[in-house]
Amino acid sequence: GENVEQHPSTLSVQEGDSAVIKCTYSDSASNYFPWYKQELGKGPQLIIDIRSNVGEKKDQRIAVTLNKTAKHFSLHITETQPEDSAVYFCARGGGSNYKLTFGKGTLLTVNP
Amino acid sequence: DTEVTQTPKHLVMGMTNKKSLKCEQHMGHRAMYWYKQKAKKPPELMFVYSYEKLSINESVPSRFSPECPNSSLLNLHLHALQPEDSALYLCASSQEPPAAGGTGELFFGEGSRLTVL
């Protein structure tokens, strides 16, 4: 199927440290992997995405890596700041399914 | 303008009421979506409109009735809801409709938080 497993479910780091969230998927035809940040009381916001023809993508303090062979992708946030505190959702798309399949989310807390 | 705007932000209704949620985007996107999100859960797809036509209904109960008056507007009409329907309802849009083999970037609105008493 198109399940997405996301770990950890909660993550607490000190300001300035790095945070890593990992997702695995099962559908080998998946070709699109976005990450969404959802702050309390707001809608999800796309922060970075990667397609299957690329192994890594970086945007300032945020990077995503994709290992198609192992079917996993990860979000890396460096130099974390309190405003990075939010719920982060990974997702996958493509293949025989028309819709995005979301992971269960990771609550990231950055302590000042 | 890269926003998806939803109104109202909060809605409280009784089980016998009729209400509507509204969504608007001016990015020229050809697909619009309704998602339902319960607390501490990921968004769940409800409906997809492609080129103003309903293309996907994820077996949603008929007490939820979507409408797409034009390419910029999406409504969700609510009637005879149950308390378990209380949730955050998210509207989203994408440049092109979803299709097997490819998915594009989704832009979400801030959501309408619905409480059914």
Side-chain angles (χ1 to χ4, degrees), chain A residues 1-5 23-34 50-54 66-73 91-102, chain B residues 99-103:
Chain A
E2 297 87 21
N3 290 339
V4 177
E5 297 288 331
C23 288
T24 59
Y25 61 97
S26 54
D27 184 354
S28 57
S30 301
N31 58 15
Y32 178 61
F33 306 91
I50 193 168
R51 294 194 182 270
S52 58
N53 57 347
V54 176
L66 171 65
N67 183 326
K68 285 206 72 180
T69 302
K71 296 183 189 169
H72 66 70
F73 56 111
R92 48 73 56 202
S96 61
N97 196 305
Y98 51 79
K99 63 182 180 182
L100 282 181
T101 306
F102 287 87
Chain B
T103 305

Side-chain angles (χ1 to χ4, degrees), chain B residues 48-115:
Chain B
V48 181
Y49 271 82
S50 303
Y51 295 93
E52 302 167 44
K53 294 189 187 313
L54 182 65
S55 60
I56 296 168
N57 177 340
E58 291 283 295
S59 302
V60 179
S62 59
R63 58 185 184 270
F64 295 91
S65 177
E67 178 196 17
C68 189
N70 60 55
S71 60
S72 299
L73 296 175
L74 186 66
N75 299 323
L76 186 63
H77 302 297
L78 314 171
H79 174 54
L81 294 194
Q82 304 297 312
E84 58 264 31
D85 295 323
S86 298
L88 181 68
Y89 288 85
L90 294 161
C91 175
S93 69
S94 64
Q95 182 73 30
E96 294 295 331
T103 305
E105 179 179 351
L106 279 183
F107 291 82
F108 282 93
E110 298 286 41
S112 293
R113 185 160 300 281
L114 173 67
T115 302

Side-chain angles (χ1 to χ4, degrees), chain B residues 23-54:
Chain B
C23 176
E24 190 169 359
Q25 59 88 14
H26 294 287
M27 295 177 278
H29 287 177
R30 307 310 299 184
M32 296 186 75
Y33 308 70
W34 280 113
Y35 281 82
K36 174 183 178 179
Q37 187 178 29
K38 300 285 271 187
K40 299 184 180 181
K41 298 288 185 182
E44 297 175 27
L45 182 64
M46 299 175 71
F47 302 105
V48 181
Y49 271 82
S50 303
Y51 295 93
E52 302 167 44
K53 294 189 187 313
L54 182 65

